[in-house]
Amino acid sequence: AHEIDANMHEENDHPKICVCVRKRPLNDKERTKLDHDSVTCLNPVVWVHSSKLRVDGISKYLDHSNYCFDHAFSEDVSTKDVYRHSTMPLVEFVVSDHGGRATVFAYGQTGSGKTYTMQGIQSMVAEDLFLLLSGNTGSDSACSLDNVLVTVSFFEIYGGVIQDLLNERNRLKLLEDGKGEVVISGLEEYEAHSPDEFLALIEEGNKKRTTQRTEANDTSSRSHAICQILLRDKKNDKMRGKLSLVDLAGSERGADTKSHDKLRRTESSDINTSLLALKECIRALGSGGSKRHVPYRASKLTLILKDCFTSKYAKTTMIATVSPSSSSADHTLNTLRYANRIKEKKLTSVLKSKKQKKQTEANRPPPETPDIGASSSYKDDMSVVAYSTEEEMLAESDEFEEALEEEEEEEEEEE
């Protein structure tokens, strides 16, 4: 038997698109309803244990679904560790002066901990950004406090309207120039010369963000909040680096909006529509973004996030937050499927390489099935994910057919 450390995360090179999942602990409201924990995080795999009904509509069984990501953080992992593996490499990338554009966005169900995670990340970015810039003083090959200014802008998308959170909630226009670059007309940028000034701007923006009481959360974020941190050259005002921190509005099910008024229901509809547009963009990118049409203009959110996927010098981290309660299992599965869409491109390439390898080794005897539990090197390989997925799908279909046959035999014996 091999002892597994569920919270161990490897220090590898940060990929172009990194997908992380964070599970929050059960809250008092869920404990009062006698909800139980239905999510297990064993990095890098997330398991969801949900109760299902058999075909007879009466018998219940426990279904286990699993998804593999770059990082899976359990409820015992601190926000500092989440930041270290998900966002800190992006801060270093932006400061390295390659014209890098990095984006971190949090997605998940209402009340799953998105805003809590993002606010923790924002405070840590403030400290590390100025620490790295001060450490590069005297270097011409990287951004430093000697050659760049740090500017902050903070705006939200609420009901299809863009509002500047640092400038009296003034309405802004979203435009696209001749080069295809997205420009937000009227957006104010504020200089920050220290971590304290940076945090003061962030706190002011977070206070003015639109929140409302919902079925799932007393202070649910009803808007997509985007904090943009720019590094501008002191001589020519040219942008030398950009970091965007995006806290998406929480998705909701119809059951979560049963007591909402017309305005709240309209808000929920707008939120889910924009998240669906983002999902379609991710799906198109996963199927070959350069060859297939990506519907960026389906919403203002996707148009603003356009460069985080397409730019040559871009890196993106998605943090999907999930609720552990059994009553939210369906929504948790939807969140994980959404996040898994980004990884489909990698899995497809793995499957393709496996197919090519099989063709070249057609004359050789078939290899023995690897012992995944005993081989740690094989377990770390992404090909295990593709191999396990194929085998589990076949095994589940066989088990399902056998269960149906056994159930029919039992019914015949009873009769």
Side-chain angles (χ1 to χ4, degrees):
H2 294 265
E3 186 177 349
I4 299 174
D5 187 351
N7 294 326
M8 183 178 291
H9 297 263
E10 295 183 356
E11 299 288 348
N12 296 326
D13 292 336
H14 198 82
K16 183 177 177 65
I17 298 180
C18 177
V19 182
C20 311
V21 173
R22 189 185 193 188
K23 168 193 171 187
R24 67 161 174 79
L26 284 168
N27 57 35
D28 295 336
K29 190 175 181 180
E30 290 163 342
R31 291 193 184 95
T32 304
K33 294 193 301 181
L34 301 180
D35 248 340
H36 63 270
D37 192 336
S38 64
V39 179
T40 302
C41 286
L42 296 172
N43 184 62
V45 182
V46 181
W47 291 84
V48 182
H49 320 286
S50 54
S51 177
K52 303 287 185 181
L53 287 174
R54 295 192 183 276
V55 290
D56 59 8
I58 300 173
S59 306
K60 291 184 178 180
Y61 69 98
L62 195 61
D63 181 62
H64 306 280
S65 304
N66 66 87
Y67 298 88
C68 184
F69 301 98
D70 292 303
H71 298 282
F73 302 103
S74 68
E75 66 273 27
D76 299 323
V77 178
S78 65
T79 303
K80 184 177 181 180
D81 286 332
V82 174
Y83 165 78
R84 184 161 63 93
H85 294 286
S86 66
T87 310
M88 187 174 177
L90 298 186
V91 179
E92 296 171 348
F93 171 69
V94 169
V95 174
S96 63
D97 197 23
H98 295 297
R101 301 184 182 189
T103 306
V104 181
F105 63 95
Y107 168 80
Q109 172 191 3
T110 295
S112 60
K114 296 183 306 302
T115 301
Y116 174 83
T117 299
M118 186 54 70
Q119 288 181 353
I121 287 175
Q122 289 169 347
S123 62
M124 293 174 198
V125 166
E127 297 292 335
D128 279 356
L129 180 63
F130 283 92
L131 185 64
L132 288 170
L133 289 174
S134 61
N136 291 338
T137 302
S139 173
D140 295 330
S141 60
C143 295
S144 69
L145 292 177
D146 294 335
N147 53 36
V148 298
L149 283 173
V150 179
T151 65
V152 179
S153 58
F154 207 157
F155 59 96
E156 71 172 6
I157 306 174
Y158 173 66
V161 177
I162 305 175
Q163 301 176 115
D164 192 339
L165 296 177
L166 298 179
N167 188 21
E168 300 179 355
R169 301 181 66 87
N170 286 343
R171 291 196 174 189
L172 309 172
K173 290 183 179 181
L174 186 64
L175 305 173
E176 195 171 3
D177 62 18
K179 298 180 181 179
E181 295 287 337
V182 176
V183 179
I184 304 174
S185 177
L187 180 64
E188 292 288 338
E189 294 181 12
Y190 295 86
E191 294 183 7
H193 301 92
S194 68
D196 291 336
E197 291 182 13
F198 184 100
L199 285 174
L201 291 169
I202 297 296
E203 289 175 4
E204 182 183 351
N206 284 325
K207 287 178 182 178
K208 294 182 179 179
R209 189 179 175 188
T210 304
T211 60
Q212 297 291 345
R213 182 185 179 89
T214 65
E215 292 283 329
N217 190 6
D218 291 339
T219 54
S220 176
S221 302
R222 310 305 293 165
S223 65
H224 305 303
I226 297 118
C227 173
Q228 290 186 341
I229 304 154
L230 303 180
L231 303 181
R232 293 197 177 275
D233 194 293
K234 287 185 176 180
K235 295 180 180 179
N236 54 24
D237 202 39
K238 182 180 178 181
M239 187 179 71
R240 297 176 63 172
K242 175 182 176 183
L243 176 63
S244 300
L245 305 176
V246 185
D247 184 12
L248 299 172
S251 58
E252 290 185 331
R253 298 168 294 183
D256 298 329
T257 61
K258 59 186 179 182
S259 64
H260 289 188
D261 56 22
K262 185 177 180 180
L263 178 60
R264 296 287 86 77
R265 288 195 296 271
T266 302
E267 286 176 0
S268 298
S269 176
D270 290 339
I271 290 168
N272 289 338
T273 299
S274 60
L275 292 176
L276 178 61
L278 180 60
K279 182 177 182 178
E280 290 302 319
C281 288
I282 294 171
R283 179 178 296 172
L285 289 166
S287 303
S290 59
K291 298 178 181 179
R292 181 175 170 179
H293 170 66
V294 183
Y296 292 114
R297 292 173 180 80
S299 75
K300 291 182 178 179
L301 171 66
T302 52
L303 193 57
I304 290 172
L305 294 178
K306 175 182 176 181
D307 61 345
C308 79
F309 292 108
T310 59
S311 175
K312 182 180 178 181
Y313 303 104
K315 288 191 176 183
T316 303
T317 291
M318 174 182 179
I319 304 174
T321 57
V322 296
S323 169
S325 63
S326 56
S327 60
S328 300
D330 289 342
H331 223 314
T332 296
L333 283 169
N334 287 337
T335 299
L336 295 178
R337 291 190 191 107
Y338 189 110
N340 192 53
R341 278 291 181 187
I342 301 179
K343 283 298 169 187
E344 278 188 351
K345 186 174 183 180
K346 290 187 176 181
L347 295 178
T348 303
S349 62
V350 170
L351 289 171
K352 187 180 291 184
S353 63
K354 282 169 68 68
K355 186 177 180 180
Q356 292 174 351
K357 187 176 181 180
K358 286 181 180 179
Q359 290 175 350
T360 57
E361 298 181 355
N363 297 328
R364 297 182 185 179
E368 295 182 2
T369 303
D371 183 359
I372 297 175
S375 175
S376 59
S377 61
Y378 189 82
K379 181 187 294 182
D380 293 337
D381 196 327
M382 280 299 292
S383 62
V384 176
V385 183
Y387 174 83
S388 301
T389 303
E390 291 175 344
E391 293 297 314
E392 285 173 10
M393 289 175 65
L394 292 172
E396 287 177 3
S397 62
D398 292 340
E399 289 175 4
F400 183 70
E401 291 177 0
E402 290 175 3
L404 282 178
E405 291 175 0
E406 290 176 3
E407 192 171 337
E408 290 175 356
E409 290 175 0
E410 290 176 1
E411 288 178 356
E412 289 176 358
E413 290 176 2
E414 292 176 359
E415 291 176 356

